[in-house]
Amino acid sequence: MSWWPFAIAWAVLMSLDAGLMPAFAVGRVVPQAWPVLLAFVALHASRQAAFWSAAAIGLWLDASHPAVGYAPGAGPVAVHVFGPNVLACAAAAWGLLELRVVLYRRNLATVLLGTVVAAWIASLAFVAVGGIRSAYADPSPLWGPGSGAATVGSDFLAGLWSAAVGILPAWALQATYRWWDFATAGPRFGSPGRLG
């Protein structure tokens, strides 16, 4: 995989997440563009490239979404905890890597389905990591006020809304497919003797 298209797409889509996506919020459900990028890369790239891409996306999420911590005598403060979103995005990439063998990957609908799956797996993994962390290291969960189940439910709706709003970014990523230089192993079906 060529990394310069990823760097451009990463910068554009993470900027959309920070600046534009909150305008499409429905109640407390805010769509996100990062699952579109994660799904696109995980559906087409090698395993190693998919995990490195997931780590880059997760680091940005950890850096841009501080958790609530409590300082002695100071009350609640914003704390950046690096790792939970990296692990959550890696889990989402793993799920998509396992799922992609049964999907027709060069289809816009497949990228949108992957967006939903990526958002859902990442949400489950994040709540699991946050729950383990809050059990021994921090009295306040990483996801903020409310229960983990409520957070997962809200994130499930956000995953569906992210796929609906992400049609244009997914189409743009599909249109730039040839620039990414993804490695292909040849035809999906058939014997090597029939390739000539």
Side-chain angles (χ1 to χ4, degrees):
M1 179 179 105
S2 179
W3 286 100
W4 69 266
F6 174 79
I8 293 170
W10 182 83
V12 169
L13 293 178
M14 299 309 110
S15 298
L16 284 176
D17 268 354
L20 184 63
M21 288 301 183
F24 293 104
V26 176
R28 297 179 66 184
V29 177
V30 180
Q32 298 174 323
W34 68 262
V36 177
L37 178 60
L38 181 59
F40 177 75
V41 172
L43 287 171
H44 298 291
S46 67
R47 295 182 80 82
Q48 184 178 9
F51 283 121
W52 279 113
S53 301
I57 293 168
L59 278 174
W60 182 85
L61 291 171
D62 283 331
S64 62
H65 297 90
V68 177
Y70 293 94
V77 294
V79 178
H80 291 281
V81 179
F82 290 95
N85 278 305
V86 174
L87 293 173
C89 288
W94 173 81
L96 288 169
L97 286 168
E98 296 301 316
L99 183 64
R100 75 181 184 179
V101 297
V102 297
L103 297 173
Y104 178 68
R105 294 182 253 171
R106 297 289 304 272
N107 188 335
L108 181 63
T110 305
V111 175
L112 297 176
L113 172 67
T115 299
V116 174
V117 170
W120 289 0
I121 293 174
S123 173
L124 289 171
F126 180 81
V127 169
V129 169
I132 292 169
R133 185 178 184 280
S134 66
Y136 73 90
D138 194 358
S140 63
L142 292 174
W143 56 83
S147 69
T151 300
V152 169
S154 176
D155 288 347
F156 276 20
L157 293 175
L160 292 171
W161 189 224
S162 295
V165 173
I167 291 174
L168 190 58
W171 175 82
L173 290 170
Q174 286 287 88
T176 63
Y177 177 83
R178 69 179 187 280
W179 299 344
W180 291 74
D181 196 26
F182 292 120
T184 55
R188 187 166 173 182
F189 303 105
S191 67
R194 294 169 45 184
L195 296 179

PDB file of all heavy atoms in Angstrom, residues 130-151:
ATOM      1  N   GLY A 130     -11.984   0.156  28.420  1.00  0.00           N
ATOM      2  CA  GLY A 130     -12.298   1.164  29.425  1.00  0.00           C
ATOM      3  C   GLY A 130     -12.847   0.556  30.701  1.00  0.00           C
ATOM      4  O   GLY A 130     -12.559   1.032  31.798  1.00  0.00           O
ATOM      5  N   GLY A 131     -13.655  -0.486  30.570  1.00  0.00           N
ATOM      6  CA  GLY A 131     -14.190  -1.162  31.747  1.00  0.00           C
ATOM      7  C   GLY A 131     -13.106  -1.844  32.559  1.00  0.00           C
ATOM      8  O   GLY A 131     -13.097  -1.774  33.792  1.00  0.00           O
ATOM      9  N   ILE A 132     -12.172  -2.500  31.876  1.00  0.00           N
ATOM     10  CA  ILE A 132     -11.058  -3.142  32.579  1.00  0.00           C
ATOM     11  C   ILE A 132     -10.210  -2.086  33.276  1.00  0.00           C
ATOM     12  O   ILE A 132      -9.825  -2.234  34.432  1.00  0.00           O
ATOM     13  CB  ILE A 132     -10.207  -3.972  31.596  1.00  0.00           C
ATOM     14  CG1 ILE A 132     -11.010  -5.170  31.106  1.00  0.00           C
ATOM     15  CG2 ILE A 132      -8.896  -4.410  32.237  1.00  0.00           C
ATOM     16  CD1 ILE A 132     -10.374  -5.904  29.953  1.00  0.00           C
ATOM     17  N   ARG A 133      -9.966  -0.976  32.582  1.00  0.00           N
ATOM     18  CA  ARG A 133      -9.143   0.080  33.172  1.00  0.00           C
ATOM     19  C   ARG A 133      -9.823   0.711  34.385  1.00  0.00           C
ATOM     20  O   ARG A 133      -9.194   0.972  35.396  1.00  0.00           O
ATOM     21  CB  ARG A 133      -8.843   1.141  32.126  1.00  0.00           C
ATOM     22  CG  ARG A 133      -7.897   2.209  32.619  1.00  0.00           C
ATOM     23  CD  ARG A 133      -7.599   3.220  31.516  1.00  0.00           C
ATOM     24  NE  ARG A 133      -6.631   4.181  31.979  1.00  0.00           N
ATOM     25  CZ  ARG A 133      -6.906   5.226  32.744  1.00  0.00           C
ATOM     26  NH1 ARG A 133      -8.138   5.428  33.149  1.00  0.00           N
ATOM     27  NH2 ARG A 133      -5.961   6.059  33.130  1.00  0.00           N
ATOM     28  N   SER A 134     -11.129   0.954  34.274  1.00  0.00           N
ATOM     29  CA  SER A 134     -11.820   1.589  35.400  1.00  0.00           C
ATOM     30  C   SER A 134     -11.965   0.639  36.587  1.00  0.00           C
ATOM     31  O   SER A 134     -12.163   1.080  37.708  1.00  0.00           O
ATOM     32  CB  SER A 134     -13.186   2.108  34.964  1.00  0.00           C
ATOM     33  OG  SER A 134     -14.041   1.044  34.619  1.00  0.00           O
ATOM     34  N   ALA A 135     -11.844  -0.658  36.343  1.00  0.00           N
ATOM     35  CA  ALA A 135     -11.951  -1.622  37.442  1.00  0.00           C
ATOM     36  C   ALA A 135     -10.740  -1.580  38.357  1.00  0.00           C
ATOM     37  O   ALA A 135     -10.840  -1.906  39.535  1.00  0.00           O
ATOM     38  CB  ALA A 135     -12.127  -3.029  36.889  1.00  0.00           C
ATOM     39  N   TYR A 136      -9.577  -1.169  37.824  1.00  0.00           N
ATOM     40  CA  TYR A 136      -8.392  -1.186  38.685  1.00  0.00           C
ATOM     41  C   TYR A 136      -7.619   0.138  38.720  1.00  0.00           C
ATOM     42  O   TYR A 136      -6.855   0.373  39.644  1.00  0.00           O
ATOM     43  CB  TYR A 136      -7.431  -2.299  38.256  1.00  0.00           C
ATOM     44  CG  TYR A 136      -6.681  -2.019  36.978  1.00  0.00           C
ATOM     45  CD1 TYR A 136      -5.456  -1.370  36.984  1.00  0.00           C
ATOM     46  CD2 TYR A 136      -7.197  -2.420  35.756  1.00  0.00           C
ATOM     47  CE1 TYR A 136      -4.777  -1.114  35.820  1.00  0.00           C
ATOM     48  CE2 TYR A 136      -6.515  -2.170  34.587  1.00  0.00           C
ATOM     49  CZ  TYR A 136      -5.304  -1.517  34.626  1.00  0.00           C
ATOM     50  OH  TYR A 136      -4.639  -1.264  33.465  1.00  0.00           O
ATOM     51  N   ALA A 137      -7.797   1.019  37.737  1.00  0.00           N
ATOM     52  CA  ALA A 137      -6.919   2.185  37.679  1.00  0.00           C
ATOM     53  C   ALA A 137      -7.628   3.517  37.859  1.00  0.00           C
ATOM     54  O   ALA A 137      -7.002   4.487  38.265  1.00  0.00           O
ATOM     55  CB  ALA A 137      -6.173   2.200  36.348  1.00  0.00           C
ATOM     56  N   ASP A 138      -8.886   3.592  37.537  1.00  0.00           N
ATOM     57  CA  ASP A 138      -9.531   4.894  37.513  1.00  0.00           C
ATOM     58  C   ASP A 138     -11.000   4.720  37.897  1.00  0.00           C
ATOM     59  O   ASP A 138     -11.693   3.888  37.322  1.00  0.00           O
ATOM     60  CB  ASP A 138      -9.423   5.485  36.108  1.00  0.00           C
ATOM     61  CG  ASP A 138      -9.767   6.951  36.056  1.00  0.00           C
ATOM     62  OD1 ASP A 138     -10.132   7.518  37.103  1.00  0.00           O
ATOM     63  OD2 ASP A 138      -9.673   7.536  34.969  1.00  0.00           O
ATOM     64  N   PRO A 139     -11.504   5.498  38.850  1.00  0.00           N
ATOM     65  CA  PRO A 139     -12.909   5.339  39.234  1.00  0.00           C
ATOM     66  C   PRO A 139     -13.890   5.826  38.167  1.00  0.00           C
ATOM     67  O   PRO A 139     -15.034   5.404  38.145  1.00  0.00           O
ATOM     68  CB  PRO A 139     -13.023   6.187  40.509  1.00  0.00           C
ATOM     69  CG  PRO A 139     -11.925   7.187  40.395  1.00  0.00           C
ATOM     70  CD  PRO A 139     -10.812   6.503  39.651  1.00  0.00           C
ATOM     71  N   SER A 140     -13.463   6.709  37.258  1.00  0.00           N
ATOM     72  CA  SER A 140     -14.370   7.204  36.220  1.00  0.00           C
ATOM     73  C   SER A 140     -14.084   6.479  34.915  1.00  0.00           C
ATOM     74  O   SER A 140     -12.930   6.383  34.494  1.00  0.00           O
ATOM     75  CB  SER A 140     -14.206   8.709  36.033  1.00  0.00           C
ATOM     76  OG  SER A 140     -12.901   8.998  35.593  1.00  0.00           O
ATOM     77  N   PRO A 141     -15.101   5.944  34.252  1.00  0.00           N
ATOM     78  CA  PRO A 141     -14.865   5.226  32.998  1.00  0.00           C
ATOM     79  C   PRO A 141     -14.425   6.176  31.889  1.00  0.00           C
ATOM     80  O   PRO A 141     -14.751   7.356  31.899  1.00  0.00           O
ATOM     81  CB  PRO A 141     -16.215   4.587  32.685  1.00  0.00           C
ATOM     82  CG  PRO A 141     -17.212   5.392  33.428  1.00  0.00           C
ATOM     83  CD  PRO A 141     -16.517   5.950  34.626  1.00  0.00           C
ATOM     84  N   LEU A 142     -13.705   5.645  30.919  1.00  0.00           N
ATOM     85  CA  LEU A 142     -13.178   6.449  29.820  1.00  0.00           C
ATOM     86  C   LEU A 142     -14.271   7.042  28.937  1.00  0.00           C
ATOM     87  O   LEU A 142     -14.065   8.054  28.288  1.00  0.00           O
ATOM     88  CB  LEU A 142     -12.238   5.603  28.958  1.00  0.00           C
ATOM     89  CG  LEU A 142     -10.932   5.184  29.592  1.00  0.00           C
ATOM     90  CD1 LEU A 142     -10.182   4.234  28.677  1.00  0.00           C
ATOM     91  CD2 LEU A 142     -10.080   6.398  29.900  1.00  0.00           C
ATOM     92  N   TRP A 143     -15.428   6.404  28.889  1.00  0.00           N
ATOM     93  CA  TRP A 143     -16.477   6.872  27.986  1.00  0.00           C
ATOM     94  C   TRP A 143     -17.304   8.004  28.582  1.00  0.00           C
ATOM     95  O   TRP A 143     -18.176   8.536  27.932  1.00  0.00           O
ATOM     96  CB  TRP A 143     -17.386   5.725  27.559  1.00  0.00           C
ATOM     97  CG  TRP A 143     -17.997   4.986  28.713  1.00  0.00           C
ATOM     98  CD1 TRP A 143     -19.114   5.342  29.407  1.00  0.00           C
ATOM     99  CD2 TRP A 143     -17.535   3.779  29.297  1.00  0.00           C
ATOM    100  NE1 TRP A 143     -19.377   4.425  30.403  1.00  0.00           N
ATOM    101  CE2 TRP A 143     -18.423   3.450  30.353  1.00  0.00           C
ATOM    102  CE3 TRP A 143     -16.469   2.932  29.040  1.00  0.00           C
ATOM    103  CZ2 TRP A 143     -18.253   2.308  31.135  1.00  0.00           C
ATOM    104  CZ3 TRP A 143     -16.307   1.812  29.820  1.00  0.00           C
ATOM    105  CH2 TRP A 143     -17.196   1.506  30.855  1.00  0.00           C
ATOM    106  N   GLY A 144     -17.054   8.360  29.818  1.00  0.00           N
ATOM    107  CA  GLY A 144     -17.759   9.475  30.437  1.00  0.00           C
ATOM    108  C   GLY A 144     -18.946   9.012  31.259  1.00  0.00           C
ATOM    109  O   GLY A 144     -19.023   7.854  31.665  1.00  0.00           O
ATOM    110  N   PRO A 145     -19.880   9.922  31.512  1.00  0.00           N
ATOM    111  CA  PRO A 145     -21.033   9.549  32.346  1.00  0.00           C
ATOM    112  C   PRO A 145     -21.931   8.539  31.648  1.00  0.00           C
ATOM    113  O   PRO A 145     -22.004   8.492  30.428  1.00  0.00           O
ATOM    114  CB  PRO A 145     -21.752  10.875  32.576  1.00  0.00           C
ATOM    115  CG  PRO A 145     -21.329  11.745  31.450  1.00  0.00           C
ATOM    116  CD  PRO A 145     -19.935  11.309  31.078  1.00  0.00           C
ATOM    117  N   GLY A 146     -22.615   7.749  32.430  1.00  0.00           N
ATOM    118  CA  GLY A 146     -23.514   6.736  31.881  1.00  0.00           C
ATOM    119  C   GLY A 146     -22.875   5.367  31.911  1.00  0.00           C
ATOM    120  O   GLY A 146     -21.703   5.198  32.223  1.00  0.00           O
ATOM    121  N   SER A 147     -23.679   4.386  31.553  1.00  0.00           N
ATOM    122  CA  SER A 147     -23.197   3.006  31.574  1.00  0.00           C
ATOM    123  C   SER A 147     -22.503   2.650  30.268  1.00  0.00           C
ATOM    124  O   SER A 147     -22.674   3.307  29.245  1.00  0.00           O
ATOM    125  CB  SER A 147     -24.369   2.053  31.802  1.00  0.00           C
ATOM    126  OG  SER A 147     -25.216   2.047  30.676  1.00  0.00           O
ATOM    127  N   GLY A 148     -21.732   1.575  30.320  1.00  0.00           N
ATOM    128  CA  GLY A 148     -21.086   1.081  29.112  1.00  0.00           C
ATOM    129  C   GLY A 148     -22.091   0.600  28.087  1.00  0.00           C
ATOM    130  O   GLY A 148     -21.907   0.779  26.887  1.00  0.00           O
ATOM    131  N   ALA A 149     -23.196   0.006  28.550  1.00  0.00           N
ATOM    132  CA  ALA A 149     -24.233  -0.471  27.622  1.00  0.00           C
ATOM    133  C   ALA A 149     -24.881   0.697  26.884  1.00  0.00           C
ATOM    134  O   ALA A 149     -25.148   0.606  25.681  1.00  0.00           O
ATOM    135  CB  ALA A 149     -25.287  -1.265  28.384  1.00  0.00           C
ATOM    136  N   ALA A 150     -25.132   1.785  27.596  1.00  0.00           N
ATOM    137  CA  ALA A 150     -25.705   2.965  26.942  1.00  0.00           C
ATOM    138  C   ALA A 150     -24.735   3.544  25.922  1.00  0.00           C
ATOM    139  O   ALA A 150     -25.134   3.995  24.844  1.00  0.00           O
ATOM    140  CB  ALA A 150     -26.076   4.018  27.986  1.00  0.00           C
ATOM    141  N   THR A 151     -23.442   3.512  26.250  1.00  0.00           N
ATOM    142  CA  THR A 151     -22.431   4.007  25.312  1.00  0.00           C
ATOM    143  C   THR A 151     -22.373   3.148  24.062  1.00  0.00           C
ATOM    144  O   THR A 151     -22.317   3.661  22.939  1.00  0.00           O
ATOM    145  CB  THR A 151     -21.050   4.024  26.001  1.00  0.00           C
ATOM    146  OG1 THR A 151     -21.127   4.886  27.132  1.00  0.00           O
ATOM    147  CG2 THR A 151     -19.977   4.505  25.068  1.00  0.00           C
TER     148      THR A 151
END
